[in-house]
mmCIF file with all atom_site columns, all heavy atoms in Angstrom:
data_model
loop_
_atom_site.group_PDB
_atom_site.id
_atom_site.type_symbol
_atom_site.label_atom_id
_atom_site.label_alt_id
_atom_site.label_comp_id
_atom_site.label_asym_id
_atom_site.label_entity_id
_atom_site.label_seq_id
_atom_site.pdbx_PDB_ins_code
_atom_site.Cartn_x
_atom_site.Cartn_y
_atom_site.Cartn_z
_atom_site.occupancy
_atom_site.B_iso_or_equiv
_atom_site.pdbx_formal_charge
_atom_site.auth_seq_id
_atom_site.auth_comp_id
_atom_site.auth_asym_id
_atom_site.auth_atom_id
_atom_site.pdbx_PDB_model_num
ATOM 1  N N   . ASP D 1 31 ? -65.227 -10.004 2.168  1.00 98.00 ? 31 ASP D N   1
ATOM 2  C CA  . ASP D 1 31 ? -66.665 -9.774  2.131  1.00 98.00 ? 31 ASP D CA  1
ATOM 3  C C   . ASP D 1 31 ? -66.828 -8.210  2.042  1.00 98.00 ? 31 ASP D C   1
ATOM 4  O O   . ASP D 1 31 ? -66.283 -7.496  2.893  1.00 98.00 ? 31 ASP D O   1
ATOM 5  C CB  . ASP D 1 31 ? -67.207 -10.293 3.445  1.00 98.00 ? 31 ASP D CB  1
ATOM 6  C CG  . ASP D 1 31 ? -68.707 -10.139 3.632  1.00 98.00 ? 31 ASP D CG  1
ATOM 7  O OD1 . ASP D 1 31 ? -69.172 -9.009  3.494  1.00 98.00 ? 31 ASP D OD1 1
ATOM 8  O OD2 . ASP D 1 31 ? -69.379 -11.117 3.882  1.00 98.00 ? 31 ASP D OD2 1
ATOM 9  N N   . THR D 1 32 ? -67.519 -7.716  1.045  1.00 98.00 ? 32 THR D N   1
ATOM 10 C CA  . THR D 1 32 ? -67.507 -6.249  0.819  1.00 98.00 ? 32 THR D CA  1
ATOM 11 C C   . THR D 1 32 ? -68.177 -5.564  2.025  1.00 98.00 ? 32 THR D C   1
ATOM 12 O O   . THR D 1 32 ? -67.710 -4.531  2.448  1.00 98.00 ? 32 THR D O   1
ATOM 13 C CB  . THR D 1 32 ? -68.247 -5.836  -0.502 1.00 98.00 ? 32 THR D CB  1
ATOM 14 O OG1 . THR D 1 32 ? -69.555 -6.415  -0.514 1.00 98.00 ? 32 THR D OG1 1
ATOM 15 C CG2 . THR D 1 32 ? -67.544 -6.368  -1.695 1.00 98.00 ? 32 THR D CG2 1
ATOM 16 N N   . HIS D 1 34 ? -68.244 -6.405  5.048  1.00 98.00 ? 34 HIS D N   1
ATOM 17 C CA  . HIS D 1 34 ? -67.332 -6.460  6.231  1.00 98.00 ? 34 HIS D CA  1
ATOM 18 C C   . HIS D 1 34 ? -66.241 -5.423  6.068  1.00 98.00 ? 34 HIS D C   1
ATOM 19 O O   . HIS D 1 34 ? -65.913 -4.712  7.002  1.00 98.00 ? 34 HIS D O   1
ATOM 20 C CB  . HIS D 1 34 ? -66.777 -7.890  6.340  1.00 98.00 ? 34 HIS D CB  1
ATOM 21 C CG  . HIS D 1 34 ? -65.937 -8.081  7.547  1.00 98.00 ? 34 HIS D CG  1
ATOM 22 N ND1 . HIS D 1 34 ? -66.504 -8.036  8.797  1.00 98.00 ? 34 HIS D ND1 1
ATOM 23 C CD2 . HIS D 1 34 ? -64.679 -8.303  7.714  1.00 98.00 ? 34 HIS D CD2 1
ATOM 24 C CE1 . HIS D 1 34 ? -65.486 -8.249  9.690  1.00 98.00 ? 34 HIS D CE1 1
ATOM 25 N NE2 . HIS D 1 34 ? -64.354 -8.385  9.051  1.00 98.00 ? 34 HIS D NE2 1
ATOM 26 N N   . LEU D 1 35 ? -65.681 -5.286  4.858  1.00 98.00 ? 35 LEU D N   1
ATOM 27 C CA  . LEU D 1 35 ? -64.659 -4.276  4.562  1.00 98.00 ? 35 LEU D CA  1
ATOM 28 C C   . LEU D 1 35 ? -65.200 -2.908  4.828  1.00 98.00 ? 35 LEU D C   1
ATOM 29 O O   . LEU D 1 35 ? -64.529 -1.990  5.350  1.00 98.00 ? 35 LEU D O   1
ATOM 30 C CB  . LEU D 1 35 ? -64.218 -4.434  3.126  1.00 98.00 ? 35 LEU D CB  1
ATOM 31 C CG  . LEU D 1 35 ? -63.097 -5.542  2.862  1.00 98.00 ? 35 LEU D CG  1
ATOM 32 C CD1 . LEU D 1 35 ? -62.722 -5.606  1.397  1.00 98.00 ? 35 LEU D CD1 1
ATOM 33 C CD2 . LEU D 1 35 ? -61.845 -5.181  3.693  1.00 98.00 ? 35 LEU D CD2 1
ATOM 34 N N   . ILE D 1 36 ? -66.408 -2.678  4.316  1.00 98.00 ? 36 ILE D N   1
ATOM 35 C CA  . ILE D 1 36 ? -67.040 -1.379  4.505  1.00 98.00 ? 36 ILE D CA  1
ATOM 36 C C   . ILE D 1 36 ? -67.193 -1.059  6.031  1.00 98.00 ? 36 ILE D C   1
ATOM 37 O O   . ILE D 1 36 ? -66.876 0.073   6.440  1.00 98.00 ? 36 ILE D O   1
ATOM 38 C CB  . ILE D 1 36 ? -68.362 -1.257  3.711  1.00 98.00 ? 36 ILE D CB  1
ATOM 39 C CG1 . ILE D 1 36 ? -68.182 -1.317  2.227  1.00 98.00 ? 36 ILE D CG1 1
ATOM 40 C CG2 . ILE D 1 36 ? -69.075 0.087   4.107  1.00 98.00 ? 36 ILE D CG2 1
ATOM 41 C CD1 . ILE D 1 36 ? -69.351 -1.445  1.359  1.00 98.00 ? 36 ILE D CD1 1
ATOM 42 N N   . ARG D 1 39 ? -63.776 -0.225  7.485  1.00 97.00 ? 39 ARG D N   1
ATOM 43 C CA  . ARG D 1 39 ? -63.139 1.082   7.060  1.00 97.00 ? 39 ARG D CA  1
ATOM 44 C C   . ARG D 1 39 ? -63.927 2.260   7.561  1.00 97.00 ? 39 ARG D C   1
ATOM 45 O O   . ARG D 1 39 ? -63.284 3.313   7.783  1.00 97.00 ? 39 ARG D O   1
ATOM 46 C CB  . ARG D 1 39 ? -63.148 1.106   5.501  1.00 97.00 ? 39 ARG D CB  1
ATOM 47 C CG  . ARG D 1 39 ? -62.094 0.153   4.940  1.00 97.00 ? 39 ARG D CG  1
ATOM 48 C CD  . ARG D 1 39 ? -61.944 0.219   3.594  1.00 97.00 ? 39 ARG D CD  1
ATOM 49 N NE  . ARG D 1 39 ? -60.994 -0.770  3.056  1.00 97.00 ? 39 ARG D NE  1
ATOM 50 C CZ  . ARG D 1 39 ? -60.590 -0.864  1.823  1.00 97.00 ? 39 ARG D CZ  1
ATOM 51 N NH1 . ARG D 1 39 ? -60.984 -0.091  0.918  1.00 97.00 ? 39 ARG D NH1 1
ATOM 52 N NH2 . ARG D 1 39 ? -59.710 -1.819  1.475  1.00 97.00 ? 39 ARG D NH2 1
#
Side-chain angles (χ1 to χ4, degrees):
D31 179 307
T32 58
H34 187 67
L35 277 178
I36 292 172
R39 290 182 184 187

